[in-house]
Amino acid sequence: MTEHTETTSPRGKTLGYLRVSTDDQDLEKNKADILKLANEKDLGRIQFIEETVSGRVSWKKRKVAEILDRCRAGDNVIVSELSRLGRSMLECMEILSIALERGIHVYAVKGSWQLDQSIQSKIIAMAFSMAAEIERDLISQRTKEALRAKKAAGMKLGRPKGPGKSKLDAFRPEIEALLANGSTQKFIAQRYSTTEANLHNWMKKRGIKKPKSAAAPMSLSVPLLE
């Protein structure tokens, strides 16, 4: 995250949030657009907060969540477009609903969005809140319907049974050979960067048993020359 010196205006502090992708070529343009909007709205100077993160990461695990926590009523948040706030329409609606509930003003350059404490914004906030709740219910309903359909089709639900995959599976022939030659589980665990407990559980799940009597190491006897 990149931050610049913060300066507040009489209308509260103003933050410019920039979610930057690794191949984003419009960063400077987005900054310029946000600065222009801030000047037009007389929002004072801006503290830019840049974040390089995938859009697949939930907004609650990104800097936008921290912005909502640190902002107070009357503060301003500017984005280049509303889609930068969340990874889906549901997330965007949740963020906007929370911001408006806390009295945080949200502006978006694209589309000239302005969500503040006006009557129009409060109506929009109510619509966002209702839409987010409906969308959550629809997702839950679709999930349940999909599970019922799978169950009706005879598919087993839940976690699949079985030992599961392990990094040790690729070394099974080597491990069995080492056990047969008398190597200790401690030695094998160290060799394959695991613990004795993990190795023991792995062997148990796969039915691998250590030979009761390991082959004795071969000894070579060299006859003495007379």
Side-chain angles (χ1 to χ4, degrees):
M1 184 182 74
T2 303
E3 297 189 8
H4 303 278
T5 304
E6 177 179 339
T7 304
T8 58
S9 71
R11 298 180 60 181
K13 65 173 174 283
T14 300
L15 306 177
Y17 175 67
L18 294 161
R19 195 186 79 203
V20 187
S21 59
T22 53
D23 58 348
D24 198 338
Q25 303 297 322
D26 299 324
L27 178 60
E28 294 305 320
K29 180 181 181 301
N30 290 339
K31 281 185 178 181
D33 290 341
I34 289 175
L35 285 169
K36 181 181 177 182
L37 186 146
N39 289 332
E40 291 174 353
K41 301 294 183 181
D42 191 25
L43 300 179
R45 298 183 65 180
I46 300 176
Q47 177 191 10
F48 281 106
I49 298 179
E50 302 170 18
E51 181 176 32
T52 303
V53 65
S54 168
R56 293 187 294 271
V57 178
S58 169
W59 73 270
K60 295 179 181 179
K61 297 180 180 179
R62 295 193 282 110
K63 294 299 179 184
V64 68
E66 295 182 15
I67 290 175
L68 290 178
D69 288 338
R70 67 189 282 189
C71 282
R72 299 293 179 264
D75 289 344
N76 311 291
V77 177
I78 308 178
V79 293
S80 58
E81 53 186 278
L82 291 180
S83 62
R84 289 294 181 178
L85 289 174
R87 58 182 177 172
S88 67
M89 179 60 72
L90 176 59
E91 283 199 349
C92 290
M93 288 186 295
E94 286 180 334
I95 293 168
L96 292 172
S97 179
I98 292 171
L100 292 172
E101 181 182 343
R102 297 178 182 178
I104 303 168
H105 304 158
V106 181
Y107 300 85
V109 175
K110 186 176 181 180
S112 300
W113 280 86
Q114 177 176 330
L115 302 175
D116 48 31
Q117 295 305 302
S118 65
I119 297 297
Q120 181 182 4
S121 293
K122 290 179 180 179
I123 294 173
I124 293 173
M126 184 180 297
F128 280 150
S129 180
M130 291 175 62
E133 184 175 353
I134 291 170
E135 181 64 18
R136 281 192 294 267
D137 291 341
L138 288 173
I139 291 173
S140 176
Q141 184 178 344
R142 288 195 295 266
T143 302
K144 291 177 181 178
E145 288 176 354
L147 291 173
R148 282 197 295 268
K150 288 182 178 180
K151 190 174 182 180
M155 294 181 64
K156 292 184 178 180
L157 304 179
R159 194 172 179 179
K161 296 181 179 179
K165 293 183 179 180
S166 169
K167 67 176 184 179
L168 296 176
D169 291 338
F171 306 106
R172 178 167 180 166
E174 298 176 21
I175 293 173
E176 289 180 331
L178 288 169
L179 289 169
N181 285 322
S183 296
T184 64
Q185 291 188 27
K186 182 178 181 180
F187 170 80
I188 296 173
Q190 291 176 344
R191 181 181 177 88
Y192 296 102
S193 302
T194 188
T195 64
E196 288 186 69
N198 286 340
L199 176 63
H200 176 78
N201 291 333
W202 176 80
M203 291 171 57
K204 185 177 180 181
K205 288 178 180 178
R206 284 153 182 76
I208 300 174
K209 296 181 179 180
K210 186 175 181 180
K212 293 182 179 179
S213 56
M218 295 179 61
S219 60
L220 297 176
S221 57
V222 181
L224 297 176
L225 295 177
E226 296 182 358

